[in-house]
């Protein structure tokens, strides 16, 4: 029998600790759930139907074995599988050998999906209640005019063909960059927000700006965008990631639709400790560090071009710092590559 590759081979003690850590039914179920996305203790308690102390104990054992990692965020903490650990290969093999039709695992998946659906519904209710006040709510943080000026400055004056605004909200970015793109599409999961965005775009069209590009908005899931791969020169995610249960997944999906040489603009809060934003404004994450977003982007194949922190005036207590990240797809667009192929054009013009 062939030996295991030295790149995946483990010392005996590491292998034994890993096997002991996963050698229990609940911990196997936790590993299978975390393979689908990051979860909190509260999430796992609801899915697995076990007490918080028991779940915490299982998580502690898996973390001590180096199989999962804990990501604290204010009063909460998210858990996820270690992506590049010594035992990552072992975990991959374990997951490959799991029978997902097993009643325990299939039941966990159903409850996982139900939990995520409930969380999305909670966010949708918030958006529906606040859709027309969304721009005003944003202004309660760092001044939006300063953020918009910084976004335009970071992106630059060079015009481009196509833009996608993910989580478009009121469609503000479609208006802000209207003289930069030829065509743009805004995607949002909230029908209430899309109604506001459409009304705003109609008002802008009545102004008849001769230099403005064509823009439209469509309903869509940020985890499974109804857009063709490699179709956009600029993709923007403005104040959206902190609402998502799995920001890394959304970022990977955003990277999928970027053209070779295209760019991704992310705007969100720096880490903070304002817990009331979870309960009052449906925030799932209390900001993001440079390192965290940078790693997610690198994992998605993007290279960092610029990062900028916009801090509020020291006299403005309770306001948040906003961070701008600009990433680039390092692939080279060949000189004979057409501007848009038929599939990519259809993704802009005939979205259902």
């Amino acid at each position: 029998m062939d030996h295991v590759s030295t790149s995946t081979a483990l010392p005996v003690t590491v292998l034994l600790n890993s096997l002991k850590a996963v050698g229990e039914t609940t911990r196997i179920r936790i590993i299978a759930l975390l393979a689908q996305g990051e979860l909190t203790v509260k999430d796992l308690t609801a899915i697995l139907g076990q007490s918080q102390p028991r779940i915490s104990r299982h998580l502690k054992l898996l973390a001590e074995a180096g199989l999962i990692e804990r990501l604290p965020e204010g009063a909460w903490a998210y858990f996820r599988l270690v992506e590049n650990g010594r035992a990552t290969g072992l975990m991959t093999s374990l997951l490959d050998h799991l029978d997902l039709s097993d009643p325990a695992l299939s039941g966990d998946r159903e409850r996982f999906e139900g939990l995520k659906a409930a969380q999305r519904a909670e966010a949708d209710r918030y958006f529906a209640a606040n859709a027309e006040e969304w721009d005003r709510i944003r202004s309660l943080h760092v001044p939006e005019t300063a953020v918009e000026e910084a976004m335009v400055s970071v992106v630059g004056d060079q015009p481009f063909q196509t833009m996608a605004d993910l989580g478009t909200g009121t469609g503000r970015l479609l208006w802000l960059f209207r003289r930069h793109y030829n065509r743009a599409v805004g995607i949002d999961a909230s029908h209430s927000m899309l109604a506001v965005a459409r009304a705003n775009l109609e008002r802008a069209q009545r102004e008849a700006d001769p230099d403005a590009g064509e823009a439209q908005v469509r309903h869509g899931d940020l985890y499974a965008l109804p857009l063709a791969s490699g179709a956009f020169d600029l993709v923007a995610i403005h104040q959206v990631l902190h609402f998502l249960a799995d920001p890394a997944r959304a970022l990977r999906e955003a990277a999928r639709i970027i053209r070779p040489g295209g760019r991704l603009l992310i705007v969100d809060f720096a880490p903070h400790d304002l817990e009331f934003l979870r309960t009052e404004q449906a925030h799932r994450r209390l900001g993001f560090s440079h390192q965290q977003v940078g790693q997610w982007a690198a994992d998605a194949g993007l290279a960092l071009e610029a990062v900028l922190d916009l801090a509020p005036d020291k006299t403005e207590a309770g306001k948040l710092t906003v961070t701008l990240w600009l990433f680039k797809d390092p692939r080279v667009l060949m000189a004979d590559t057409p501007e848009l192929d038929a599939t990519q054009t259809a993704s802009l013009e005939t979205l259902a």
Side-chain angles (χ1 to χ4, degrees):
M1 183 175 68
D2 293 337
H3 290 293
V4 177
S5 167
T6 56
S7 62
T8 58
L10 296 173
V12 171
T13 54
V14 174
L15 180 59
L16 285 176
N17 288 338
S18 299
L19 293 174
K20 288 178 181 177
V22 298
E24 195 276 338
T25 301
T26 297
R27 294 198 285 276
I28 287 282
R29 293 167 68 188
I30 289 174
I31 289 292
L33 286 167
L34 293 183
Q36 300 178 66
E38 300 174 354
L39 293 167
T40 66
V41 173
K42 182 180 178 181
D43 294 335
L44 289 166
T45 298
I47 294 170
L48 297 172
Q50 299 183 22
S51 69
Q52 183 172 329
R54 289 191 64 184
I55 295 297
S56 296
R57 174 62 178 165
H58 288 308
L59 291 170
K60 183 174 183 291
L61 292 172
L62 291 170
E64 289 175 345
L67 304 180
I68 68 173
E69 58 184 332
R70 181 179 184 273
L71 306 173
E73 288 192 10
W76 289 14
Y78 287 84
F79 292 85
R80 69 180 180 189
L81 299 182
V82 172
E83 295 183 355
N84 297 303
R86 302 178 75 180
T88 297
L90 179 64
M91 287 299 93
T92 300
S93 179
L94 171 67
L95 291 166
D96 287 342
H97 283 81
L98 284 179
D99 180 2
L100 299 181
S101 65
D102 180 276
L105 297 182
S106 61
D108 288 345
R109 282 200 313 280
E110 289 179 7
R111 288 184 289 275
F112 176 93
E113 292 301 330
L115 175 70
K116 296 303 179 185
Q119 291 171 347
R120 289 193 295 270
E122 179 184 353
D124 285 344
R125 284 192 294 272
Y126 169 75
F127 290 146
N130 294 280
E132 296 198 15
E133 297 295 318
W134 191 238
D135 287 329
R136 183 188 64 80
I137 291 172
R138 281 181 172 173
S139 71
L140 297 177
H141 307 295
V142 72
E144 197 68 13
T145 53
V147 177
E148 292 182 353
E149 290 173 1
M151 283 192 284
V152 172
S153 176
V154 166
V155 170
D157 297 328
Q158 187 68 29
F160 46 84
Q161 290 292 315
T162 53
M163 174 182 174
D165 181 21
L166 309 183
T168 192
T170 63
R172 176 65 182 178
L173 290 198
L174 297 177
W175 182 89
L176 183 66
F177 288 101
R178 67 193 184 284
R179 297 184 180 181
H180 288 69
Y181 58 75
N182 286 340
R183 287 178 293 172
V185 59
I187 301 293
D188 207 289
S190 168
H191 292 287
S192 298
M193 297 298 280
L194 288 172
V196 176
R198 288 190 177 97
N200 287 340
L201 287 176
E202 288 172 2
R203 282 194 293 269
Q205 289 171 357
R206 286 198 297 270
E207 294 175 2
D209 184 344
D211 297 321
E214 297 179 6
Q216 56 183 263
V217 294
R218 292 289 184 271
H219 182 265
D221 183 347
L222 268 61
Y223 297 136
L225 295 169
L227 301 169
S229 299
F232 296 91
D233 297 298
L234 178 69
V235 175
I237 308 177
H238 179 213
Q239 300 289 27
V240 171
L241 291 185
H242 59 252
F243 288 109
L244 303 181
D246 195 347
R249 179 182 170 192
L251 199 153
R252 290 194 299 271
E253 179 66 354
R256 178 186 66 80
I257 66 171
I258 299 174
R259 301 183 72 190
R263 295 175 294 172
L264 171 65
L265 174 65
I266 297 176
V267 182
D268 219 296
F269 296 125
H272 61 86
D273 59 1
L274 301 185
E275 287 286 344
F276 76 90
L277 291 177
R278 293 194 199 273
T279 55
E280 294 183 14
Q281 296 196 20
H283 290 205
R284 294 284 297 170
R285 301 300 180 100
L286 298 184
F288 304 94
S289 67
H290 292 181
Q291 180 180 5
Q292 186 174 43
V293 174
Q295 185 60 59
W296 286 339
D299 292 342
L302 303 177
L304 179 65
E305 282 210 327
V307 60
L308 175 65
D309 287 321
L310 299 176
D313 189 280
K314 293 182 180 179
T315 62
E316 296 180 303
K319 289 201 173 183
L320 305 176
T321 295
V322 170
T323 302
L324 284 73
W325 292 267
L326 186 68
F327 298 98
K328 185 174 183 178
D329 186 323
R331 297 174 299 170
V332 177
L333 184 65
M334 303 304 292
D336 58 351
T337 300
E339 286 298 318
L340 286 173
D341 62 27
T343 301
Q344 293 166 338
T345 300
S347 76
L348 282 173
E349 296 180 346
T350 61
L351 285 172

